[in-house]
Amino acid sequence: SSSMCDRPLGAVVFGELGDRLVGRKNALAFSIVLITVPSVLMGCLPPYDVWGVASPILLIFLRMCQGLSVGGQLAGSYVLSIEQSSSSNRGFRGSICDASSVGGFLLASFVTTCVRSIYTEEQVDEWAWRVPFLLSLVLAPVLYYIVTKSKESKFWSESKDQKETEDIVRESDPGCESKRPAVLDLVSSPFRRRQLAGMIGVLSPLSSSYYTLFLFSPVYLSDLRGYLSETQAGVINVFVLVCYIFLVLVGGKLSDSLPHRMDLMRIGLPGVIVAAPVMYGMYESESVVGYVLGQLQYAVCLALMQGGMAAWKVELWMADPTLSYTGVAIGHNVASCLFGGTLPLISTYLSFRGDNILDAGEDAYGETQYDPSILWPRLLPGLYMSGLGCIALLCLSFVIRHPHDIRTGEKKMRDATEKRMRKKTRKLTRSLKEGHAALEGYLTSASHSFLGSDLNQSPSKQMGSFGGPDHRQGSPSSYVPPGSSMGGDAAAC
């Protein structure tokens, strides 16, 4: 619990390192060192009999250091990988990070199983528990080499050049304010606070589902319900983990082929809402096939949601590269702390609460009897997951604003555009009708005026107008050549 609570603090620290100080690559490399050194020291830590109370205190401190490292590690891999990719393969690149995270969990389970199989229980309790921690010395140098040899994000390079320019301006202007930490810039904007809150809400079922499927389900089937042994539950869990890794990669590739990054999430999220209680219902089948199918159908829905989730997280903050690492790290780790870290406790409580509802008293042998005709109390842990899924669906639909909303013409934008076009069409139609009425009125009045003027003319004017005698000066009928004897008679007439 101490390491889980330190994750948000690690997100703030590594967000500042990755966004403002050393860059994404160096921050990720430092997180690898920070998680390796405490792991090795935990493997070398003297027992309580040697150091007394100092041993558990140091153990808690080393766990807290690991929590700080995890707070920036996965977010750093998201940002570094996706900022180096194009928009056509971000989903798949991000799904590789998620698949690697699940693969690390699978590797840890494999090593733990091997240790328990090779050594006796007394040896494991005495000294063999240190072996998995010491094995991190083998894997950490490989990861460190891969990270240090990778290219730095182009967004960090651009923001670094901009920062150098800002430092020059700040030095020349003593009254200029110094730059605030990244976390303060993140929470200072109402829009960013809304994005962060919506991101945490969307991630709530994802964080809790991960712990439900891969941590709580084996314990529920073996210890709480007693349907399987720990070994059987572990084997089923490993099989589901392998299938989930493949499904996440498929989901990431599929998210790149859809117009909107959230299209696949809108498909997977309703599936998670329905599949969670269905999984707990299938646990009551008391059949190994039912246990496997229940977890697989939940894994499929969860993979559809998580396939493009890494790219979705980074794209939310990609508009401001100086806040990308911080935004992704804080959103991811706050959701993990609030909903993932508390999931085993809440699910265990709901499981026992369901037992109390079904309690039908004790039999003759003193064993508790449960009413087999009622199923819904057994579904309470799954219904809790469904409630988180409904919150995520609301945040995804009404709170979060993703850059693809503009690219693909999100529904509200399309509605606004259609409304504006309808308004312009009505205005143009009204103008055409008014112009047609005005033109019709003008033609009517002009025709009336023309006909009225013809009826009011005198007969002589009408004759003149139709080619009759015309006495106007200069007309051909009144023209008399000079010196003609007909001039006086014509004038008298």
Side-chain angles (χ1 to χ4, degrees), residues 377-391:
R378 298 295 187 195
L379 309 182
L380 287 178
L383 294 175
Y384 169 71
M385 300 297 305
S386 298
L388 294 180
C390 292
I391 294 174

Side-chain angles (χ1 to χ4, degrees), residues 93-163:
R93 292 282 293 269
S95 67
I96 293 177
C97 298
D98 285 324
S100 301
S101 176
V102 180
F105 183 83
L106 179 62
L107 180 61
S109 300
F110 175 75
V111 171
T112 303
T113 303
C114 290
V115 170
R116 290 184 177 275
S117 301
I118 295 173
Y119 302 102
T120 63
E121 186 175 351
E122 291 76 14
Q123 290 174 327
V124 171
D125 293 338
E126 184 177 354
W127 61 270
W129 62 270
R130 303 174 184 271
V131 174
F133 294 97
L134 296 176
L135 286 177
S136 60
L137 277 175
V138 179
L139 185 61
V142 178
L143 296 177
Y144 184 83
Y145 176 80
I146 293 174
V147 172
T148 53
K149 293 300 181 180
S150 62
K151 294 182 180 180
E152 181 58 276
S153 168
K154 59 182 180 180
F155 291 89
W156 162 253
S157 302
E158 296 173 358
S159 62
K160 184 179 179 181
D161 295 338
Q162 182 180 0
K163 181 177 180 297

Side-chain angles (χ1 to χ4, degrees), residues 41-59:
L41 292 178
M42 288 170 66
C44 301
L45 191 65
Y48 182 83
D49 297 338
V50 179
W51 280 16
V53 72
S55 291
I57 293 176
L58 286 176
L59 180 63

Side-chain angles (χ1 to χ4, degrees), residues 172-202:
S172 61
D173 186 5
C176 184
E177 296 182 358
S178 60
K179 202 165 188 178
R180 295 182 299 179
V183 63
L184 295 182
D185 284 342
L186 183 70
V187 300
S188 62
S189 168
F191 176 74
R192 292 172 184 156
R193 290 197 299 267
R194 172 177 171 172
Q195 292 284 86
L196 183 62
M199 179 181 177
I200 295 172
V202 171

Side-chain angles (χ1 to χ4, degrees), residues 198-314:
M199 179 181 177
I200 295 172
V202 171
L203 294 178
S204 60
L206 185 65
S207 301
S208 53
S209 295
Y210 183 84
Y211 288 90
T212 296
L213 194 58
F214 304 129
L215 291 178
F216 183 72
S217 287
V219 176
Y220 181 83
L221 292 173
S222 59
D223 296 337
L224 296 181
R225 302 295 294 146
Y227 294 147
L228 299 172
S229 64
E230 290 185 0
T231 303
Q232 291 174 330
V235 171
I236 293 176
N237 192 30
V238 169
F239 173 72
V240 175
L241 274 170
V242 173
C243 296
Y244 184 73
I245 292 174
F246 173 75
L247 291 171
V248 167
L249 294 174
V250 172
K253 190 67 176 178
L254 187 59
S255 69
D256 288 326
S257 63
L258 298 176
H260 199 296
R261 187 69 64 192
M262 294 192 294
D263 287 343
L264 195 63
M265 296 167 60
R266 290 189 176 104
I267 297 173
L269 188 52
V272 170
I273 296 173
V274 176
V278 169
M279 180 179 68
Y280 281 93
M282 296 182 73
Y283 287 164
E284 299 304 313
S285 66
E286 300 186 11
S287 168
V288 176
V289 176
Y291 306 150
V292 175
L293 292 180
Q295 294 186 35
L296 279 179
Q297 56 94 27
Y298 192 60
V300 170
C301 298
L302 188 61
L304 291 177
M305 183 180 176
Q306 191 173 8
M309 182 67 76
W312 175 81
K313 295 175 189 176
V314 178

